[in-house]
Amino acid sequence: MKINESKHGFVVKKRTEVSELNATMYEMEHIKTHLKLAWLKRDEENKTFGIAFKTLPSDDSGVFHILEHSVLCGSQKYPVKEPFVELMKSSMSTFLNALTFEDKTFYPISSRNNQDFMNLTKVYLDAVFNPLILNKKEIFLQEGWHVEATEKPTYKGVVLNEMKGAFSSPREIMMNALNRALFKDNCYQYVSGGDPESITDLTYEQFIQTYQKYYHPSNAFVFLDGDVPLDDVLELLNQEYLSSMEANLPIEGPIYQQPVQISRQVVDYEIGEEENAENKYRMAWGNVIGSYQDYEKVIAMQVLSDVLCGDNQAVLNKALLEKGLAENVYLAINDGELQNWCQLEVDHIKEENLDQVKEIVFDTLQTLIKKGIDRQQLDATLAYLELNLKERNFGGYPQGIIFGFQVLESWLYGGKPEAHLEYGKIFDDLKKKVNEGYFENLIQEVLLENKHSCEIVLKPSKELGKIRREKEEKKLTNVLNSMTDVQKQQLQIEQKQLDAFQQAPDTLENLNTLPKLNLEDIEAKVQKISSKLIDLEGCKVLKHSTETNGIYYYALYFNIDHLDLNQISTLSFICSLLGNISTIKHSAKDLSTKIRLLCGTMNYSINTYETTNKENQVYFKATFSTLEENEQEALQLLVEILQESVFDQEKMIRDILKQRIISLKQAITMSGHSLSMKRVLAMVSPSGVIDEYSSGIAYYKWLKELDDHFDFVALKQKLESVYQNVCFYNRLTLSFTGNDDTNLEKQALYLKETLKISDALEKAIIKPFSIKKEGIIIPSDIAYASKGGYLLETSKITPLASNIISLAYLWNAVRVQGGAYGTGLVSRASGFTCCYSYRDPNGKESLKKYEKCGTFLKDYLKENHDLTGFIIGTLSGLMPLMMPYNIGKYGDLYYFNQKDEKARQEQLEAILNVDKDELLEIAKEIDETLEKGGICIIGGKNQIDQCDLDEIISL
């Protein structure tokens, strides 16, 4: 395409080569409405579409967050109640979601299937431009908030409960407080997701007015990535929407916040009634770095973040930890906004030590400026960060989705859309500046002499939760008491209308409006992984050959089925120590530097695997990624850590112990659904028990006991005993992912020559916990409720049954009607089946609803529903998007779970040719399993007390 070329109402404004991605960026604009479009054209099968709107909050009501949820609840062309859910049921999407940021709302999708990509794009475009919210108030009441007019009225709503869960996190509260202080004159002062106290002040009329102002093509940014059918997308946009619309004045802003300096402000946050409040203060400094255009400075601050706080050997951490004044220090870089900023936070401080902590932090920074930062450390961090950024490993997110985020980080404010996609020149320049005092000057400019800064202290409160609940009850009482009889009648009418709206099924006519894939539109074939199991020097080697751009991925799996549960917890703690404590050859600081010089990642974990016949395998896993030229040295360093770590550093080890306790407590509070399901699995499975003692509630309690009764002599003996009893060559499976490596045999020989050989080891006998109903109290108003067990028989089509129940029953019963933010039925190949809820306002009711899952499925099948959509959606879930960096991960998983390519293909075909009678049998089994299953509910005391439980634990 050429500059100034016109097509379907769009004109090409600019064309830019993005060499690091082997791509071309095309910028276009719709001539009539001025909608902006950027296409990152590259050879990528997974196609991405996203439409974003500049959305600038003016209060804490979370209006844009509620809009994000609500516009996906039906549109004029597709008048079904939950098109988003219908697409989840029946799409081959690799990403399907929407996200609210501080100043924008983004609706992205991606799919490898051309037809599916266009279907999803059509539904999303109609959702944002023609939503049913304009004449369906029930959507606002459901997704935002409403008064549940029952015997004891309460506030209810999906976003309301989501944000109640978010406000359980001290980090969320700290970030909100810092934003409010730093940006007191622009939109960033507000909680874009919504403050639960303010959400219930938003009216439907304000909600609609906000939509009409912001959701307009003149305020829209469309992003495309990959091998998209551009002509079809442009024609759809112009013909169906833009050609009939007029241009609006653009939304101005956000405005730049002029520098402010805010002295210490104190904000309360909730802790549990059983917690010791003595050392629970948190202290943070917020500092503005610069504008969105200062991308080099943002990357440089990420380098400083690692140098100053990257681990316990980093200068700031060490300065505070050595004096026992804090338990954790971190420097977070908050970019992606008009003005990027950072927060330097110190956690777990005693009130009387706040000023001393502040003095040490700033004195340490001043000393660094005077004496200079260790050059080797800077070089190591630059190498480490460059490898990580260029690898573009975005975890569970497809690359195109993250590229969309990065494009908006500049484009939204009038910058170049490609500005944040390339890193090479930035790192070249930063490496030159290392010896010019650049990083020392940056500390001075951003952290010490910044005229745009603030200081926040979080104060622990055992009463805050109670005060908040009483305040909400009083507010609701006042609202109800101030109502006239006519208003109360209207409230009752709205409640009945909402109930009827939520319970009424979509008509077949409405459902048929949605564009759907047919089975013939998809190719139900598992993605081939070029894997071989070979023997090298007597070692089992899983070799995954693929193009990885010169990056090699290694994983060493050591069978540890001989360890008992106490040893499992000990080894899990050792995983936190390895690489963070000294070895015989290197101090902890030198080791940290060397890891960064050689590796992109180096991690340790305990992994359990279950086969379809419920056989359990447990491994200690050590992984690293490195550039091809560093392969040998990186492997040697890993072996040094595995064989020569020294466990005599009491202060260092205890600091890490306290940090693990903090991070696990945070995980329990914010991701309780995962922890509660893990707890239920432990009631029925040995592998679940191992997971519990390596990363669950049992491990948290083990760590707490260790800290409460700390005996270093005994701990050191325990650590050394387990450490010496793990890494044996004859219990090793080696995994390699990369180009065809001619040195692999050499690496296997090196491992054979350096690792120990074990005698025969007896497998430890590990028994499941007993089935019980268990509650775990956390400081929160919401809950995570799980219930489950093992099916009597495993089946290849159980994922289909789970998909139907999750999206056709639980979504409506637990999320839509119950108000939980998330829910589902998880099923594993081993037969473990478990229902869960996420940020749930009524865990007790959810547990009751789980018992009807099987009955629902039986009734649903008897009504002879077409299962095509569910089949397609289930197949999509079993055909994950594989990138070079995760091909080895999937290959290893399939090997240990004994799911070879043939078995995976057979499962796809079984689902494709599903037998409804078999589904009916599974429905019966699900009913029996959930009726007798174990229960774990993690939540606030007010929720736990409502449930009839066998055992209650306070954390």
Side-chain angles (χ1 to χ4, degrees):
M1 295 177 65
K2 297 177 182 178
I3 306 298
N4 296 325
E5 181 181 344
S6 296
K7 181 176 281 195
H8 298 297
F10 285 84
V11 61
V12 180
K13 308 283 279 188
K14 194 175 177 184
R15 180 179 185 269
T16 308
E17 298 304 316
V18 186
S19 58
E20 286 182 29
L21 298 178
N22 195 24
T24 303
M25 175 69 79
Y26 288 95
E27 291 180 62
M28 307 179 201
E29 185 173 308
H30 189 254
I31 299 166
K32 184 179 181 185
T33 63
H34 307 307
L35 176 142
K36 294 176 174 58
L37 184 146
W39 175 32
L40 189 61
K41 182 184 179 183
R42 61 191 184 104
D43 185 17
E44 171 55 51
E45 178 193 19
N46 190 51
K47 294 160 278 288
T48 299
F49 162 87
I51 183 165
F53 298 90
K54 188 186 293 186
T55 50
L56 312 179
S58 57
D59 56 36
D60 291 321
S61 67
V63 59
F64 293 115
H65 188 186
I66 299 169
L67 276 170
E68 174 226 305
H69 281 240
S70 300
V71 300
L72 293 173
C73 292
S75 66
Q76 289 181 21
K77 279 189 182 175
Y78 313 114
V80 297
K81 291 192 300 179
E82 300 272 5
F84 178 73
V85 181
E86 295 302 323
L87 293 172
M88 285 198 293
K89 292 177 187 177
S90 59
S91 167
M92 293 294 291
S93 66
T94 50
F95 189 88
L96 184 70
N97 212 333
L99 306 100
T100 304
F101 296 89
E102 285 75 5
D103 57 12
K104 54 187 166 283
T105 308
F106 190 33
Y107 296 85
I109 61 92
S110 65
S111 178
R112 290 167 289 195
N113 183 290
N114 251 13
Q115 184 60 54
D116 192 42
F117 171 80
M118 287 306 301
N119 289 350
L120 297 171
T121 300
K122 287 174 183 177
V123 174
Y124 265 46
L125 281 173
D126 208 60
V128 297
F129 287 133
N130 296 315
L132 291 182
I133 58 170
L134 299 172
N135 50 30
K136 279 281 181 186
K137 186 177 180 181
E138 293 88 346
I139 297 171
F140 167 76
L141 300 176
Q142 171 183 291
E143 297 300 317
W145 72 275
H146 66 277
V147 176
E148 187 86 338
T150 55
E151 228 176 271
K152 187 182 178 183
T154 58
Y155 286 120
K156 201 170 177 182
V158 173
V159 169
L160 178 66
N161 290 315
E162 178 187 351
M163 295 312 296
K164 281 185 176 182
F167 270 59
S168 300
S169 165
R171 288 199 173 166
E172 183 87 12
I173 294 167
M174 178 65 86
M175 182 169 279
N176 291 337
L178 290 166
N179 263 312
R180 205 175 293 280
L182 286 174
F183 302 106
K184 67 185 189 66
D185 300 317
N186 67 19
C187 65
Y188 299 117
Q189 68 179 293
Y190 301 111
V191 183
S192 60
D195 184 328
E197 283 191 24
S198 300
I199 288 172
T200 51
D201 294 330
L202 180 67
T203 68
Y204 177 62
E205 290 70 28
Q206 292 168 331
F207 172 76
I208 295 301
Q209 288 167 7
T210 304
Y211 167 80
Q212 291 170 334
K213 177 179 179 180
Y214 285 91
Y215 279 62
H216 190 278
S218 301
N219 187 42
F221 301 76
V222 169
F223 172 73
L224 303 171
D225 173 67
D227 189 18
V228 300
L230 181 68
D231 198 67
D232 293 344
V233 174
L234 296 181
E235 183 179 13
L236 171 68
L237 273 162
N238 182 61
Q239 188 170 312
E240 298 294 326
Y241 301 99
L242 305 182
S243 62
S244 61
M245 296 181 174
E246 299 299 327
N248 267 11
L249 290 173
I251 298 293
E252 297 296 336
I255 62 169
Y256 276 93
Q257 172 67 53
Q258 294 304 308
V260 293
Q261 287 187 304
I262 307 296
S263 55
R264 183 177 299 176
Q265 295 182 344
V266 180
V267 176
D268 287 349
Y269 80 100
E270 184 180 2
I271 62 171
E273 292 178 8
E274 310 289 326
E275 285 188 71
N276 179 4
E278 183 186 26
N279 70 333
K280 294 294 194 305
Y281 279 79
R282 294 167 176 249
M283 192 178 203
W285 297 270
N287 295 283
V288 170
I289 299 167
S291 82
Y292 72 94
Q293 294 171 308
D294 299 319
Y295 198 46
E296 180 184 88
K297 194 186 284 189
V298 167
I299 300 293
M301 284 302 299
Q302 290 176 3
V303 173
L304 275 182
S305 171
D306 188 68
V307 169
L308 297 175
C309 306
D311 58 29
N312 287 355
Q313 300 312 304
V315 285
L316 278 182
N317 295 52
K318 195 168 184 179
L320 289 166
L321 294 175
E322 281 182 347
K323 291 183 170 60
L325 293 172
E327 293 179 10
N328 196 30
V329 188
Y330 70 93
L331 177 60
I333 313 303
N334 303 303
D335 57 351
E337 301 171 9
L338 179 70
Q339 290 166 282
N340 300 309
W341 61 283
C342 62
Q343 70 185 82
L344 175 58
E345 183 166 337
V346 185
D347 294 344
H348 287 67
I349 315 167
K350 292 181 179 179
E351 182 179 12
E352 61 267 26
N353 292 337
L354 288 170
D355 290 332
Q356 189 181 357
V357 165
K358 180 176 181 178
E359 183 180 349
I360 290 171
V361 167
F362 286 88
D363 283 351
T364 303
L365 294 174
Q366 288 284 8
T367 302
L368 272 179
I369 292 169
K370 290 175 185 174
K371 294 186 175 179
I373 302 170
D374 184 295
R375 293 296 177 262
Q376 188 181 22
Q377 199 175 1
L378 272 175
D379 289 341
T381 296
L382 280 163
Y384 161 77
L385 188 59
E386 184 176 17
L387 177 57
N388 273 280
L389 288 175
K390 287 189 174 180
E391 184 185 16
R392 293 182 169 86
N393 179 349
F394 302 124
Y397 284 87
Q399 288 184 334
I401 300 297
I402 302 300
F403 292 157
F405 297 164
Q406 292 173 327
V407 161
L408 289 168
E409 289 170 5
S410 173
W411 193 28
L412 191 83
Y413 317 113
K416 298 175 182 178
E418 72 278 3
H420 294 178
L421 293 175
E422 296 186 288
Y423 308 111
K425 186 176 185 305
I426 289 175
F427 279 98
D428 290 342
D429 291 344
L430 288 178
K431 287 170 189 175
K432 293 173 186 174
K433 293 178 179 181
V434 165
N435 295 314
E436 298 171 2
Y438 174 79
F439 288 96
E440 289 82 0
N441 291 337
L442 201 58
I443 292 174
Q444 187 95 31
E445 176 194 339
V446 175
L447 299 177
L448 288 179
E449 296 180 356
N450 199 325
K451 294 181 180 178
H452 196 166
S453 61
C454 68
E455 180 182 303
I456 302 291
V457 168
L458 288 195
K459 177 184 176 183
S461 169
K462 296 184 180 184
E463 300 297 318
L464 185 63
K466 180 183 175 185
I467 293 168
R468 188 174 58 241
R469 285 186 288 276
E470 288 175 351
K471 189 175 179 181
E472 183 176 282
E473 288 173 10
K474 185 177 179 181
K475 177 180 180 179
L476 181 53
T477 300
N478 290 340
V479 167
L480 293 173
N481 288 342
S482 66
M483 282 184 170
T484 64
D485 289 343
V486 172
Q487 288 173 322
K488 287 178 181 177
Q489 286 176 351
Q490 181 60 34
L491 184 66
Q492 294 288 344
I493 291 168
E494 281 189 352
Q495 178 70 60
K496 289 177 182 177
Q497 289 173 338
L498 178 59
D499 291 343
F501 170 76
Q502 291 177 333
Q503 292 168 16
D506 286 308
T507 65
L508 188 59
E509 181 184 3
N510 285 348
L511 286 170
N512 286 336
T513 62
L514 282 170
K516 297 181 181 72
L517 287 176
N518 297 311
L519 292 177
E520 55 267 27
D521 294 326
I522 65 171
E523 186 178 15
K525 274 193 175 182
V526 296
Q527 182 173 337
K528 290 189 176 183
I529 302 176
S530 183
S531 300
K532 289 180 183 177
L533 178 63
I534 56 179
D535 184 289
L536 290 178
E537 298 297 331
C539 176
K540 284 186 290 185
V541 178
L542 290 166
K543 184 179 179 182
H544 313 294
S545 297
T546 187
E547 176 55 54
T548 53
N549 295 320
I551 301 173
Y552 283 173
Y553 300 89
Y554 273 90
L556 284 69
Y557 296 87
F558 295 94
N559 186 303
I560 54 167
D561 62 7
H562 57 292
L563 299 185
D564 63 28
L565 292 177
N566 192 279
Q567 292 170 321
I568 289 288
S569 291
T570 304
L571 180 57
S572 184
F573 183 50
I574 288 172
C575 290
S576 304
L577 301 177
L578 295 178
N580 293 308
I581 58 173
S582 302
T583 65
I584 294 170
K585 294 188 183 77
H586 292 93
S587 69
K589 182 180 178 182
D590 289 343
L591 187 64
S592 172
T593 301
K594 198 167 180 64
I595 291 170
R596 283 163 169 75
L597 275 170
L598 294 173
C599 301
T601 57
M602 185 175 277
N603 296 308
Y604 312 88
S605 60
I606 294 175
N607 291 47
T608 57
Y609 301 93
E610 278 190 318
T611 63
T612 51
N613 58 4
K614 299 187 181 67
E615 286 183 8
N616 302 299
Q617 302 177 75
V618 56
Y619 292 89
F620 166 64
K621 179 182 178 183
T623 67
F624 68 90
S625 62
T626 188
L627 293 173
E628 183 178 351
E629 59 264 29
N630 295 329
E631 175 188 21
Q632 183 68 42
E633 201 175 348
L635 183 60
Q636 289 171 351
L637 184 63
L638 177 68
V639 170
E640 177 188 330
I641 292 168
L642 295 179
Q643 291 198 316
E644 299 179 8
S645 291
V646 179
F647 298 92
D648 60 358
Q649 303 138 83
E650 178 175 353
K651 181 70 173 66
M652 198 179 292
I653 288 173
R654 187 150 197 205
D655 287 338
I656 294 171
L657 169 63
K658 289 180 180 294
Q659 289 163 353
R660 287 301 296 134
I661 292 169
I662 293 169
S663 62
L664 254 178
K665 181 69 179 288
Q666 176 82 357
I668 294 166
T669 304
M670 299 305 293
S671 303
H673 61 304
S674 298
L675 277 294
S676 63
M677 282 194 286
K678 190 175 292 188
R679 196 79 177 169
V680 171
L681 178 61
M683 296 178 192
V684 294
S685 161
S687 68
V689 176
I690 293 167
D691 284 344
E692 258 296 291
Y693 275 83
S694 63
S695 58
I697 303 289
Y699 179 52
Y700 174 79
K701 291 167 69 178
W702 184 89
L703 291 171
K704 282 280 292 173
E705 179 71 16
L706 207 60
D707 189 45
D708 292 342
H709 305 92
F710 192 74
D711 179 347
F712 185 66
V713 174
L715 175 59
K716 179 175 180 287
Q717 185 178 1
K718 185 185 293 188
L719 293 171
E720 290 175 342
S721 173
V722 173
Y723 177 71
Q724 292 161 8
N725 198 26
V726 171
C727 297
F728 298 117
Y729 184 75
N730 56 323
R731 298 177 74 84
L732 168 67
T733 301
L734 176 65
S735 170
F736 169 82
T737 306
N739 303 332
D740 197 19
D741 182 25
T742 55
N743 292 318
L744 196 51
E745 190 168 358
K746 177 184 172 184
Q747 312 308 342
L749 179 60
Y750 168 73
L751 291 170
K752 182 178 183 179
E753 290 172 345
T754 52
L755 296 177
K756 299 172 290 186
I757 302 291
S758 74
D759 297 328
L761 296 171
E762 188 175 342
K763 186 173 181 177
I765 298 173
I766 294 175
K767 295 182 179 179
F769 300 163
S770 59
I771 294 284
K772 58 185 169 184
K773 296 182 287 184
E774 181 180 67
I776 297 170
I777 297 175
I778 58 172
S780 181
D781 290 332
I782 48 80
Y784 307 93
S786 295
K787 184 174 188 179
Y790 271 115
L791 300 179
L792 292 175
E793 297 289 337
T794 60
S795 169
K796 292 183 178 71
I797 64 170
T798 304
L800 175 59
S802 297
N803 199 19
I804 297 170
I805 290 169
S806 294
L807 297 175
Y809 171 59
L810 289 175
W811 182 276
N812 194 51
V814 177
R815 186 189 186 278
V816 173
Q817 296 175 31
Y821 181 46
T823 184
L825 175 65
V826 170
S827 65
R828 297 183 182 170
S830 62
F832 178 66
T833 300
C834 189
C835 292
Y836 72 91
S837 65
Y838 179 76
R839 295 185 182 175
D840 190 342
N842 197 333
K844 178 184 176 182
E845 287 303 311
S846 296
L847 290 170
K848 289 180 184 176
K849 290 169 181 175
Y850 297 160
E851 294 177 5
K852 299 176 183 176
C853 285
T855 301
F856 166 83
L857 181 56
K858 283 184 280 188
D859 293 342
Y860 190 85
L861 293 170
K862 287 174 185 175
E863 291 168 7
N864 205 29
H865 288 278
D866 180 11
L867 300 182
T868 300
F870 285 114
I871 290 170
I872 291 171
T874 305
L875 291 174
S876 178
L878 295 170
M879 298 164 63
L881 182 65
M882 294 188 195
M883 302 300 292
Y885 51 76
N886 65 12
I887 280 177
K889 182 188 77 172
Y890 280 111
D892 295 347
L893 178 67
Y894 295 145
Y895 169 76
F896 288 116
N897 282 341
Q898 297 177 15
K899 290 190 71 175
D900 60 16
E901 187 178 317
K902 181 184 175 185
R904 287 183 284 129
Q905 186 62 41
E906 285 175 351
Q907 181 173 30
L908 296 187
E909 288 169 7
I911 290 167
L912 200 57
N913 303 293
V914 63
D915 182 341
K916 285 193 178 181
D917 289 337
E918 190 177 351
L919 273 178
L920 284 167
E921 284 300 311
I922 293 171
K924 181 181 175 184
E925 285 197 32
I926 288 173
D927 258 348
E928 293 174 1
T929 299
L930 292 177
E931 183 184 349
K932 301 171 186 175
I935 288 173
C936 179
I937 176 168
I938 299 174
K941 189 175 186 301
N942 58 321
Q943 291 238 23
I944 301 297
D945 287 345
Q946 294 176 30
C947 301
D948 180 22
L949 302 170
D950 303 324
E951 184 179 346
I952 296 175
I953 301 168
S954 288
L955 295 182

